[in-house]
Amino acid sequence: MAKVLVTGGAGYIGSHVTDMLVERGYDVVVIDNLYTGHAEAVHPKATFVKGDLLDKPVVDKLFADHKFDGILHFASHTLVGESWEKPWLYLRDNHVAASHVLEAAANTGVKKFILSSTANLFDAPERIPITAEERIVPGSPYGESKFLVERQLYWMERVYGMASVCLRYFNASGAHPNGHIGEDHTPEFHLIPIILQVALGQREKLTIFGEDYPTADGTCIRDYIHVIDLAEAHILAYEALADGKSRKYNLGNGKGYSIRQVLDTAKQITGVDIKATVGPRRPGDPATLIADSTRIQQELGWHPEFGSLHQIIETAWNWHKSHPQGYASKK
Ligand code: UDP
């Protein structure tokens, strides 16, 4: 049974990947500082270590205590907006945390690394849908911080022979279909959970950030990808690393939905007439972001199983309805 380290395994995407790794027979160690993650989200069969990757002795001890076959690195600050207000959380902390992990990994002979990366690398796409060959133009200090780690991985391969896969996600969404784990951010900034909080009566309304974009209904278009399809891509990517080859993939459904389409689908699923008003644009939002995931489909045989917006919102709704206060609901 391969032993893998999942950093940030108590967070939204990391916890879904941990869950799938454990169910597929991996021996998983999770490290998370619980800054935004939830201990309850970690699969009970995973070994959980509460610790901060900025604390180098903590990282070194982790690698002394366990011999890892590979690493899936999720732990990071992940908010585009916050990264403009607090750039050093991103340009320094995300970078230093990854450096500590990479140094310890290299020193202990780890040869496999999966990076949770982002569509925020593509702020000025020349073509939509966006392929993995698109020119990299980070859209914020957050995007830049992920690019810095991608660059470190380039050198990890050349210096130490560590192979990696960078997975650039578009809009991760949805929840585990069995309803035991899901999205729980405080405060919440993402569209689908905000809409569902309005449906639950926890917020008065959705504010649509701009209706004057060059799209059919004037609202921004995004490519929403189910977190279980993302998790599957991580496992395929990890297994592909057996051949020692590094790769970069864009991950989305290849279909774009406007904010109004998301809102209308959520109204159908919840049966609630979710209130929405239009506000000003949010700075830094591109009009349309859609992924071209052809490369991972062709090379690794990845196919989205929960590709419809309906499935994405339905699984998210089941989670939010049964956990109206997120993980705190169970206490
Ligand atoms: N959005 C919105 N109102 C909100 C939150 C988000 O109109 O309260 C919009 C946002 O401007 C973007 C889309 O919904 O066009 C998806 O935003 P989210 O923050 O979920 O993901 P992002 O695309 O920023 O990664």
Side-chain angles (χ1 to χ4, degrees):
M1 204 194 299
K3 188 184 260 195
V4 294
L5 172 65
V6 178
T7 73
Y12 171 44
I13 302 172
S15 63
H16 285 78
V17 175
T18 296
D19 193 271
M20 195 176 276
L21 285 165
V22 171
E23 295 301 325
R24 302 270 172 98
Y26 283 84
D27 182 3
V28 183
V29 177
V30 165
I31 183 163
D32 199 298
N33 60 9
L34 301 183
Y35 185 80
T36 55
H38 305 273
E40 304 89 327
V42 179
H43 194 295
K45 288 192 183 146
T47 302
F48 177 60
V49 177
K50 183 172 182 294
D52 199 319
L53 301 179
L54 293 175
D55 193 345
K56 191 163 185 298
V58 165
V59 177
D60 290 341
K61 179 169 188 310
L62 185 69
F63 281 79
D65 290 347
H66 303 274
K67 171 88 187 111
F68 296 116
D69 178 62
I71 296 163
L72 297 98
H73 181 57
F74 297 90
S76 74
H77 298 281
T78 59
L79 296 170
V80 169
E82 180 187 58
S83 79
W84 285 97
E85 286 155 27
K86 300 177 182 171
W88 298 112
L89 287 183
Y90 292 79
L91 299 172
R92 180 193 52 219
D93 292 1
N94 280 357
H95 186 240
V96 171
S99 307
H100 287 163
V101 174
L102 285 170
E103 186 177 358
N107 287 342
T108 53
V110 175
K111 300 287 182 217
K112 299 179 191 169
F113 195 97
I114 305 282
L115 176 66
S116 159
S117 191
T118 175
N120 197 247
L121 298 187
F122 309 115
D123 199 43
E126 280 164 13
R127 270 181 225 100
I128 302 266
I130 301 170
T131 66
E133 291 82 31
E134 179 61 54
R135 189 168 52 111
I136 291 179
V137 181
S140 65
Y142 165 62
E144 185 72 41
S145 75
K146 292 289 182 178
F147 185 50
L148 291 171
V149 184
E150 292 204 4
R151 291 301 304 162
Q152 285 180 304
L153 288 171
Y154 169 81
W155 290 108
M156 288 299 103
E157 176 164 43
R158 288 194 60 183
V159 179
Y160 298 105
M162 184 192 295
S164 60
V165 183
C166 299
L167 296 172
R168 287 97 169 241
Y169 320 147
F170 283 60
N171 289 62
S173 39
H176 198 293
N178 78 8
H180 71 298
I181 47 177
E183 196 166 4
D184 178 2
H185 298 120
T186 308
E188 186 53 76
F189 289 105
H190 297 105
L191 181 67
I192 293 175
I194 285 178
I195 288 177
L196 297 178
Q197 287 175 352
V198 181
L200 282 172
Q202 295 174 339
R203 282 178 193 255
E204 190 207 336
K205 61 181 170 75
L206 167 73
T207 301
I208 296 172
F209 297 145
E211 207 179 24
D212 57 349
Y213 285 93
T215 60
D217 64 18
T219 65
C220 285
I221 291 178
R222 293 288 179 274
D223 183 338
Y224 296 90
I225 172 165
H226 198 283
V227 65
I228 291 295
D229 289 326
L230 276 184
E232 188 69 54
H234 287 76
I235 304 226
L236 287 171
Y238 191 77
E239 288 171 358
L241 282 176
D243 70 5
K245 262 179 58 189
S246 292
R247 302 158 162 96
K248 296 182 198 307
Y249 296 122
N250 289 358
L251 272 176
N253 277 312
K255 289 179 291 224
Y257 294 98
S258 73
I259 296 173
R260 289 224 175 265
Q261 286 174 310
V262 174
L263 182 63
D264 289 344
T265 307
K267 285 182 186 174
Q268 279 170 24
I269 289 168
T270 61
V272 178
D273 186 19
I274 299 162
K275 197 173 157 199
T277 53
V278 178
R281 286 184 177 200
R282 185 173 69 175
D285 264 340
T288 302
L289 279 179
I290 301 172
D292 181 334
S293 308
T294 308
R295 193 192 272 179
I296 189 167
Q297 299 201 14
Q298 287 179 347
E299 291 185 10
L300 305 189
W302 175 78
H303 288 289
E305 203 192 318
F306 297 89
S308 77
L309 186 61
H310 197 276
Q311 287 169 303
I312 288 171
I313 298 181
E314 194 168 48
T315 54
W317 179 232
N318 287 340
W319 156 257
H320 285 281
K321 252 190 327 189
S322 58
H323 298 77
Q325 306 305 324
Y327 288 99
S329 309
K330 284 192 202 157
K331 287 177 190 156

